[in-house]
Amino acid sequence: CRKFAPLTLEINRLKKEKDAVILTHSYVEPEIVYGVGDFKGDSYFLSLKAREAKAKMIVFAGVVFMAETAKILSPDATVVVPDRGSGCSLADSLTGDQLRKLKAAYPDAAVVCYINSTADVKAESDVCVTSGNVYDIVSALPQQRILFVPDRLMGENIRTELKRRGVAKEIITSDGTCIVHDVFDAAAVADARARFPGLKVVAHPECTPEVAAAADFVGSTGAMMKYVKTSEAPYYLMLTECGLVGRLQVETPDKHFIGGCRLCPYMKLNSLEKVRDALAAPRADQIVTLDEDTRRRAARCIDRMFELAP
Ligand code: 13P
Ligand code: SF4
């Protein structure tokens, strides 16, 4: 679109000049994802790309915990966030100190953190997981007791899925939820099914167990996209942030999506202007810094995920 053209050109020129790569989560605005992003996808895919990156600079158009993860994995790169306010209700629900206290209460538990967590929480955890590998990794751990943080609803979904797989584990959780996914409602899903025969319902594992049970497919944003691209249905209801629906509308123009739009206020703080500013002359608040001991311990927990991920 003509409105975005000058900034898009400027950012793409700056990228070369600064030897930078731009990682974009699927929830951010399309002018960023398609106009200037080098890689677009879910948390797992973007972590892999951050780890492989050879660029001097990584601009993470997503939220702060994702940029911190990139810094943990690529410590020599300058990692910047367009907006330091782009938090996450899950990551912000638990501090490293709070996790240390929880660990003291459950000393025999394996500590598993969802990637939507701070570097301090990762540094205190045994293994990190994403929405795409959580069930496989938790199933593979030798410990019977799992302390899973910070997503209570995902923890409940793990309990259900492991029971279905016949894997016996005790799952203890902390009390965070995603403010975008915790409001989807199973009654609304039933109502949509009645109104749209043949509807396929596709949910993220940050949704409630009732919503997950009412869905045809539950998975990471990457897996949700794959499910839609490889299935045939007259209508789809996507129970996730509506940036993902935007991507699907662009990439599968013949499919029909019903339902309203739920925005993540943190992801939507990203803009082309802020990406340009972070690239051209990053302010101190846009540059991700971590103390080396925290970074090293957090890297161990993410590396364990790469070892165990299917
Ligand atoms: P994905 O890794 O599935 O993209 O999830 C990230 C996220 O923040 C979902 O709310
Ligand atoms: Fe965090 Fe939810 Fe936003 Fe994802 S959608 S970044 S989990 S607040």
Side-chain angles (χ1 to χ4, degrees):
C1 151
R2 211 177 298 158
K3 180 172 119 194
F4 299 124
L7 268 174
T8 306
L9 291 171
E10 186 182 356
I11 291 168
N12 285 319
R13 177 182 58 73
L14 278 166
K15 255 195 325 194
K16 287 199 193 106
E17 206 176 291
K18 303 273 178 171
D19 185 15
V21 65
I22 302 186
L23 307 183
T24 64
H25 190 269
S26 299
Y27 291 165
V28 304
E29 298 287 7
E31 63 272 18
I32 302 176
V33 172
Y34 294 107
V36 300
D38 294 294
F39 297 101
K40 51 184 176 293
D42 64 15
S43 307
Y44 187 73
F45 175 76
L46 295 174
S47 310
L48 284 174
K49 292 298 159 195
R51 187 171 69 155
E52 287 165 8
K54 299 276 178 284
K56 283 201 184 107
M57 191 174 193
I58 297 175
V59 181
F60 212 122
V63 289
V64 170
F65 80 78
M66 294 179 177
E68 272 188 358
T69 303
K71 183 68 184 175
I72 292 165
L73 296 169
S74 268
D76 295 334
T78 301
V79 178
V80 296
V81 276
D83 191 311
R84 177 51 80 168
S86 55
C88 163
S89 63
L90 281 172
D92 298 341
S93 72
L94 188 74
T95 65
D97 274 348
Q98 288 167 329
L99 178 53
R100 266 189 292 279
K101 285 187 191 124
L102 268 175
K103 281 168 63 172
Y106 301 100
D108 58 334
V111 183
V112 180
C113 67
Y114 186 29
I115 198 163
N116 295 39
S117 55
T118 64
D120 283 343
V121 164
K122 290 185 176 80
E124 289 294 330
S125 301
D126 297 316
V127 59
C128 178
V129 296
T130 70
S131 50
N133 54 38
V134 52
Y135 302 135
D136 290 327
I137 290 182
V138 173
S139 301
L141 293 174
Q143 292 89 338
Q144 197 273 335
R145 184 177 259 187
I146 308 290
L147 175 55
F148 179 77
V149 295
D151 190 341
R152 174 172 53 81
L153 297 177
M154 190 176 285
E156 290 173 19
N157 286 323
I158 297 171
R159 256 179 228 133
T160 310
E161 176 60 18
L162 265 50
K163 201 164 163 197
R164 192 189 67 78
R165 294 183 183 195
V167 179
K169 300 266 183 215
E170 181 191 1
I171 311 289
I172 297 147
T173 67
S174 62
D175 200 24
T177 62
C178 163
I179 54 166
V180 174
H181 293 88
D182 67 1
V183 295
F184 289 116
D185 170 25
V189 172
D191 181 55
R193 283 200 194 278
R195 287 189 295 127
F196 295 91
L199 177 74
K200 291 282 186 211
V201 179
V202 187
H204 195 274
E206 290 167 12
C207 293
T208 65
E210 295 74 28
V211 166
D216 296 290
F217 179 81
V218 181
S220 67
T221 55
M224 292 168 94
M225 284 197 73
K226 190 168 170 199
Y227 177 83
V228 172
K229 288 182 175 183
T230 56
S231 64
E232 283 303 329
Y235 303 101
Y236 292 90
L237 174 61
M238 306 300 293
L239 301 177
T240 192
E241 211 271 354
C242 75
L244 195 78
V245 183
R247 269 202 67 186
L248 282 164
Q249 279 168 336
V250 170
E251 295 176 31
T252 59
D254 297 335
K255 308 238 177 197
H256 300 287
F257 299 94
I258 64 145
C261 186
R262 280 205 57 81
L263 297 174
C264 172
Y266 308 109
M267 290 280 183
K268 265 39 188 191
L269 286 174
N270 288 279
S271 67
L272 281 179
E273 285 82 359
K274 292 177 196 174
V275 169
R276 187 263 322 272
D277 295 348
L279 248 180
R283 298 185 308 269
D285 65 285
Q286 291 174 311
I287 301 173
V288 178
T289 55
L290 295 170
D291 82 74
E292 183 52 19
D293 178 57
T294 306
R295 190 204 67 77
R296 214 163 342 100
R297 289 188 299 127
R300 218 183 300 142
C301 138
I302 303 174
D303 286 343
R304 184 99 195 276
M305 169 179 78
F306 289 129
E307 283 160 28
L308 294 175

